[in-house]
Amino acid sequence: SKTTMLLRVIVSEKEIRRLAVKDIPGNIEELNQVLQTSLGLRGGFILQFEDPDFNNQLCNLTDIKDLPKERATVKVIFTADDSSDSTVDTCSLPSVSSGDIVEWPDPFPIPHFSHDVELQLNEANNRYTKDGSVMVISKGLKTDILDTLADIMSKISVYPERQHYERVARALVEKHPCLRDPGSEKGWYSWFHSLKFKLGNYRQKLSAAGCSEVVINKRKGEGLKGQNVKRSKKGEVNYCPDPPEGQSLENMEEKRKIMESEMRKKDPDHQFVEDLMVATFSQRRKEIVGDQPLIAEVLSRWPALFNERQAHVEILEEAMKGMQLGLLIGCESGEPDAIPREVFDVAVVVEETIVLHNIKDVVVAFSLLMGVIYCMNLEYPYAIKYTFEFLQRVVMKIKPDQASARVHGLRNKILRYKL
């Protein structure tokens, strides 16, 4: 009889997934394939597991027999190995940018370059050791180095952030000191700028090749369906991965229909639905970010997206009239308050449509509202956008370094008063 293994998969510090594997893999390679298919992990990685023989301390997984039966915790360690023919795609993760999703290696592992490049670097490194002389870098050599690094970096994220460029540039000159910038304090600043320029060109190639994430971010705001509450923010990057390896759009559409049918049942199999939602993430993000459909259409095609083990919703049309985004709070009669104490129901509303309800706590409802804003790719309401930004950047500490000048100034005032 077939046995089901329940895995707790640590993809990153902020992303820990629950995965049910119906057939126990026979070896580590099969387990890696299961993770790649189910979670969309692509790129070089190794696995560690909590070893019960050592008080659940993490150890490298070298034999599938070492993995505890039925329930186990494994951690994914990305290696940025360019021997892999795929890319990193943690497709089911909530992300504002792909840099939030994947743990960049620190220090970044500089790969081996082509044989002729390695010979030149070894000779130049020997000269640097003897007399401190740096290498005169030819155009062809620099191109080979940048092409290799750009390919590996894109497998982690097509849109690296500043600290990621810095990390790669610093690791490059630490491994090959002959490449240091002469007269530069840090020694790698020119490589930092070269990598940014190279990744920009590399994204153009990916766009021409049909990479969904690059294409969608390139054409933001074009050909949208009607007016949406979404407006792309300056510098915003929408995460929209290609389908997992071995999956086609037709295959994902069939899984979407199965999920839609399952959700019509009185008591749907929620674990089965969750697995289907994970498997169809690429298709869903392409529809939501690329086409920006109205919320009613999304509810129809993806009913599980707004499922909180929900009952059927009675829409209070008058109360929601004109409400583009917000919370509808049901409370006992009495004096109105900012956060009523006697709350019996809270609903999340988008485009005059209830997408979540039967929530008993306003704080929980607001957290779910923030989740809806992400998964539906929505913009904060203009009249209170700074309130939402303050909660995101200061309270929730999501990319605080990207706060607007107004929110940044308010945060500094609060910190001064606190001190």
Side-chain angles (χ1 to χ4, degrees):
S1 62
K2 295 183 178 180
T3 305
T4 299
M5 172 185 286
L6 188 61
L7 291 179
R8 177 174 174 266
V9 185
I10 304 174
V11 181
S12 70
E13 182 180 350
K14 298 180 180 178
E15 180 57 26
I16 301 176
R17 296 299 309 275
R18 183 178 185 271
L19 179 64
V21 182
K22 294 183 179 180
D23 297 322
I24 298 179
N27 52 53
I28 295 177
E29 288 72 23
E30 291 182 8
L31 177 58
N32 288 346
Q33 184 62 43
V34 169
L35 295 178
Q36 289 172 340
T37 303
S38 302
L39 301 182
L41 303 182
R42 294 188 285 168
F45 64 87
I46 63 172
L47 294 178
Q48 295 181 340
F49 76 106
E50 290 186 355
D51 193 336
D53 294 334
F54 293 94
N55 197 26
N56 288 332
Q57 294 296 308
L58 288 171
C59 298
N60 285 358
L61 182 62
T62 57
D63 189 336
I64 196 68
K65 296 179 181 178
D66 294 335
L67 207 60
K69 305 296 184 184
E70 298 183 357
R71 294 174 182 269
T73 296
V74 296
K75 182 175 183 179
V76 180
I77 306 294
F78 291 99
T79 61
D81 182 3
D82 65 337
S83 62
S84 172
D85 60 357
S86 54
T87 59
V88 171
D89 168 16
T90 49
C91 60
S92 64
L93 313 183
S95 67
V96 179
S97 74
S98 53
D100 283 338
I101 304 169
V102 179
E103 285 187 345
W104 276 74
D106 190 12
F108 187 88
I110 299 299
H112 288 288
F113 300 106
S114 60
H115 185 56
D116 63 312
V117 172
E118 285 291 333
L119 288 175
Q120 296 179 64
L121 290 176
N122 288 337
E123 183 179 351
N125 283 330
N126 290 334
R127 289 198 301 268
Y128 180 88
T129 302
K130 291 180 179 179
D131 56 23
S133 60
V134 295
M135 186 180 190
V136 178
I137 307 171
S138 66
K139 182 178 180 180
L141 179 70
K142 188 171 186 178
T143 298
D144 288 343
I145 293 174
L146 291 173
D147 283 343
T148 301
L149 294 175
D151 179 62
I152 294 177
M153 292 172 68
S154 69
K155 291 176 180 178
I156 303 178
S157 171
V158 185
Y159 295 94
E161 298 181 0
R162 180 184 179 89
Q163 66 266 26
H164 301 145
Y165 288 109
E166 292 180 348
R167 194 174 297 177
V168 177
R170 181 171 61 248
L172 177 64
V173 299
E174 287 177 353
K175 182 175 182 179
H176 300 291
C178 65
L179 298 177
R180 291 182 61 87
D181 299 335
S184 170
E185 180 181 353
K186 295 182 178 179
W188 45 260
Y189 211 58
S190 68
W191 288 103
F192 163 79
H193 288 291
S194 296
L195 283 169
K196 290 188 68 175
F197 183 78
K198 175 61 68 172
L199 259 295
N201 289 338
Y202 199 79
R203 282 192 291 269
Q204 292 182 7
K205 294 181 181 179
L206 292 176
S207 177
C211 177
S212 299
E213 184 175 8
V214 180
V215 171
I216 281 180
N217 282 286
K218 184 178 180 181
R219 63 178 178 84
K220 286 186 294 188
E222 299 177 5
L224 305 182
K225 292 184 179 179
Q227 291 187 347
N228 199 305
V229 291
K230 171 65 183 177
R231 292 183 306 154
S232 296
K233 297 184 283 290
K234 182 179 179 181
E236 177 186 11
V237 175
N238 293 317
Y239 185 59
C240 188
D242 293 318
E245 188 173 354
Q247 298 290 321
S248 64
L249 292 177
E250 292 77 13
N251 181 268
M252 285 191 290
E253 175 62 16
E254 184 64 29
K255 292 181 178 179
R256 186 200 66 80
K257 291 179 179 178
I258 295 174
M259 175 275 301
E260 186 179 4
S261 176
E262 183 70 21
M263 287 300 298
R264 295 195 187 102
K265 297 180 180 179
K266 184 177 180 180
D267 186 19
D269 185 336
H270 294 290
Q271 181 59 54
F272 180 52
V273 169
E274 181 180 342
D275 292 341
L276 291 172
M277 289 292 285
V278 169
T280 55
F281 177 84
S282 173
Q283 178 188 5
R284 186 165 62 256
R285 285 297 289 176
K286 189 172 183 180
E287 289 182 11
I288 292 176
V289 179
D291 300 335
Q292 293 202 5
L294 295 176
I295 189 69
E297 183 178 346
V298 178
L299 279 170
S300 175
R301 285 181 56 80
W302 304 98
L305 185 61
F306 302 104
N307 174 49
E308 201 215 1
R309 308 296 195 258
Q310 60 207 29
H312 296 309
V313 177
E314 293 183 2
I315 301 179
L316 306 176
E317 295 184 357
E318 190 63 29
M320 295 186 298
K321 194 172 183 179
M323 183 182 290
Q324 286 297 301
L325 183 66
L327 299 178
L328 190 62
I329 302 174
C331 57
E332 300 294 340
S333 59
E335 292 298 324
D337 197 358
I339 301 181
R341 296 180 180 180
E342 300 297 329
V343 174
F344 60 83
D345 192 6
V346 184
V348 176
V349 179
V350 178
E351 296 171 4
E352 302 183 4
T353 302
I354 291 179
V355 295
L356 285 172
H357 80 122
N358 199 26
I359 308 167
K360 304 304 181 184
D361 186 274
V362 176
V363 176
V364 172
F366 183 81
S367 299
L368 292 172
L369 173 63
M370 294 294 286
V372 169
I373 289 173
Y374 160 72
C375 71
M376 280 302 299
N377 202 41
L378 304 178
E379 178 60 57
Y380 296 144
Y382 182 78
I384 54 174
K385 64 178 182 179
Y386 290 114
T387 301
F388 275 90
E389 186 190 351
F390 178 84
L391 291 167
Q392 176 189 348
R393 306 296 187 196
V394 180
V395 178
M396 303 175 74
K397 296 182 179 179
I398 300 176
K399 293 195 174 180
D401 57 323
Q402 294 186 10
S404 65
R406 181 174 296 186
V407 171
H408 182 72
L410 178 59
R411 177 178 58 191
N412 289 342
K413 288 181 180 179
I414 293 175
L415 291 176
R416 281 198 295 268
Y417 286 133
K418 183 177 180 181
L419 295 175

